[in-house]
Amino acid sequence: MKKIESDIYYVGVNDRHKMLFENLWPLPNGVSYNSFLIADEKTALVDTVDIAFCDLFLDRVKEALNGRPLDYLIVNHMEPDHSGSIRMLRQLYPGLQIVGNKQTFGMLNGYYGIAEGLCEVGEGDVLALGRHRLTFYMTPMVHWPEVMMAYDGTDGVLFSADAFGTYGALDGGVIDSELDTARYRDEMIRYYANIVGKYGSPVRKAMQKLSSLDIRTICSTHGPVWREHRDMPVGIYDRLSRYEGERGVTVVYGSMYGHTEQMAETIAASLAEHGVRDIAVHDAARTHASYILRDVFRYRGLLVGSPTYSGQLFPEIDSLLRKIELREVKDRLFGCFGSYTWAGMAVKRLTAFADAMKWETVGEPVEQKQAMSRDTHDKCRALGEAMAGKL
């Protein structure tokens, strides 16, 4: 239990066991599931935690309540890593009123069979706890349809559901001033790209809705409580929701026997020689897509290389492109390259992908037959130079 304000307590947990978030995205540094207890004239818990940590979580809630009953549970987000302990919580506190919106309650019944003791709220509704008054803002598709946020105007605290969240367990501290926040920056970008990336427009609408509030503390459901450095997560979400890439290039390739890899290395060297300093080179067969997506969201330039594989793209490249397409990434500068032994199709398919995404194509696509030649080398250098010039 950690005090956030005079009567607001952190009662969340760390998960250092789970290997993959959503069974998809690597968690080398774990993840936190954040929950907050407001101990006012009325008591209110904001979200719960994954069922795997329910016992520890309930002990922390009891400690924060210090013998008092729990009056309200506010459900900002129904994803099971935040709602998983609701049924056990209701059993422990049978008089508990569950606060949510209409979408929340459909999921609550579907997941946990709970359909009674509900308090429905809508846009701008207020829940008075005493000194604290929570105003609710509907923020659908950030990143589920039922998502809402609760704002405490008394202390300027925004309980933001998954928005402004990040991978990474909390190492000792909870509030940003107690932690090295620099290590959470890359993980927040990766989290956004993996989890929220498709929903740029809803994120923008939510940020506009919240823009007039005096937000002094952000309590997300994952990662640090943001206070001294709250401009960092707000800035990251603002830029990424606009699909606004930094001046840099992601070079990603697939390669079976090293020939496409040689092309990628030549292009990366040309980028550096022509003044690009932020270059991320990824072998799609060795680097998890989670990290490649992070860099696709981070940098404006994207260069993709693939050998022709059974008349198609290299499978890992094809899979990555589907993930980028799903997230509807906008406004990237794109170039492509590839190799083949007897019949080339990769470059044609990469070009078609860029056209479908409505991206600007930079330079001339480079396609080599069999091993690297001097002519191919020069064309790869020209492609790198063209991208550097565009940036």
Side-chain angles (χ1 to χ4, degrees):
M1 184 179 74
K2 167 77 176 179
K3 186 177 286 189
I4 304 300
E5 295 288 353
S6 59
D7 46 13
I8 301 177
Y9 299 89
Y10 176 86
V11 290
V13 299
N14 280 321
D15 184 347
R16 301 184 191 275
H17 305 288
K18 185 174 291 183
M19 301 294 291
L20 295 173
F21 194 76
E22 297 184 335
N23 210 26
L24 286 169
W25 317 111
L27 292 173
N29 302 309
V31 69
S32 70
Y33 310 125
N34 299 342
S35 175
F36 303 90
L37 191 284
I38 305 171
D40 205 332
E41 294 173 21
K42 294 286 188 178
T43 59
L45 184 69
V46 183
D47 292 309
T48 72
V49 305
D50 191 291
I51 187 62
F53 297 88
C54 185
D55 288 347
L56 174 60
F57 168 65
L58 292 179
D59 285 344
R60 291 182 175 179
V61 172
K62 290 178 191 175
E63 181 184 0
L65 285 170
N66 193 27
R68 298 181 61 188
L70 182 60
D71 297 305
Y72 297 105
L73 168 65
I74 296 160
V75 181
N76 282 335
H77 185 23
M78 272 297 300
E79 203 166 3
D81 55 337
H82 306 299
S83 67
S85 297
I86 290 178
R87 187 155 45 197
M88 295 297 291
L89 192 74
R90 169 56 75 77
Q91 291 176 9
L92 188 62
Y93 300 101
L96 174 71
Q97 290 287 301
I98 300 177
V99 180
N101 57 67
K102 185 176 181 180
Q103 290 267 27
T104 308
F105 295 150
M107 294 182 184
L108 187 67
N109 191 22
Y111 274 116
Y112 308 116
I114 296 174
E116 296 180 349
L118 309 180
C119 176
E120 184 174 335
V121 294
E123 184 71 31
D125 286 349
V126 175
L127 178 66
L129 302 175
R131 192 175 78 90
H132 297 276
R133 291 170 58 84
L134 299 178
T135 304
F136 296 98
Y137 296 91
M138 304 299 113
T139 54
M141 301 317 303
V142 186
H143 57 115
W144 275 27
E146 87 301 351
V147 172
M148 66 183 192
M149 300 184 189
Y151 173 67
D152 168 31
T154 303
D155 290 327
V157 179
L158 178 68
F159 299 98
S160 64
D162 271 358
F164 311 114
T166 176
Y167 299 132
L170 300 173
D171 292 345
V174 171
I175 301 171
D176 58 6
S177 58
E178 304 167 333
L179 298 158
D180 175 12
T181 57
R183 76 181 187 89
Y184 291 101
R185 185 179 186 276
D186 278 2
E187 287 294 75
M188 182 174 286
I189 296 171
R190 186 166 71 93
Y191 177 90
Y192 183 98
N194 297 170
I195 308 300
V196 188
K198 178 181 176 66
Y199 304 107
S201 179
V203 170
R204 296 235 44 81
K205 290 177 182 177
M207 294 185 73
Q208 179 61 37
K209 184 179 289 189
L210 302 169
S211 62
S212 63
L213 302 180
D214 177 23
I215 299 171
R216 300 190 291 277
T217 302
I218 299 173
C219 292
S220 175
T221 47
H222 295 295
V225 170
W226 298 101
R227 181 175 293 157
E228 289 187 12
H229 305 285
R230 63 187 179 276
D231 287 348
M232 185 183 86
V234 172
I236 288 173
Y237 269 64
D238 179 56
R239 179 172 56 79
L240 296 182
S241 66
R242 298 175 191 271
Y243 301 95
E244 186 179 291
E246 300 172 15
R247 186 182 185 273
V249 182
T250 303
V251 181
V252 57
Y253 65 90
S255 191
M256 289 180 286
Y257 302 109
H259 301 117
T260 314
E261 181 178 26
Q262 281 183 281
M263 300 174 77
E265 295 287 4
T266 303
I267 291 167
S270 178
L271 287 166
E273 288 173 20
H274 289 92
V276 180
R277 292 294 170 262
D278 291 321
I279 306 167
V281 180
H282 295 293
D283 178 347
R286 295 177 59 87
T287 304
H288 194 280
S290 175
Y291 298 93
I292 303 173
L293 288 169
R294 175 198 63 193
D295 291 336
V296 170
F297 270 80
R298 171 183 281 163
Y299 298 130
R300 189 164 181 230
L302 175 61
L303 291 162
V304 181
S306 174
T308 296
Y309 188 91
S310 297
Q312 305 291 327
L313 291 169
F314 187 69
E316 295 302 326
I317 291 294
D318 186 63
S319 175
L320 175 66
L321 297 188
R322 300 288 75 78
K323 291 178 175 67
I324 294 172
E325 183 179 41
L326 175 66
R327 285 157 180 78
E328 300 177 6
V329 180
K330 298 174 178 59
D331 193 29
R332 289 298 177 264
L333 299 174
F334 181 82
C336 62
F337 55 100
S339 62
Y340 66 98
T341 295
W342 66 89
M345 284 296 294
V347 165
K348 180 179 179 180
R349 295 188 182 280
L350 289 171
T351 301
F353 169 76
D355 290 342
M357 296 296 291
K358 299 180 180 178
W359 289 344
E360 180 180 352
T361 300
V362 175
E364 292 295 323
V366 184
E367 189 168 41
Q368 73 171 8
K369 184 176 182 179
Q370 296 151 15
M372 175 83 89
S373 66
R374 170 51 59 183
D375 180 59
T376 300
H377 180 274
D378 291 344
K379 288 178 179 178
C380 286
R381 289 188 55 81
L383 180 56
E385 182 178 1
M387 180 62 78
K390 272 290 182 181
L391 290 170

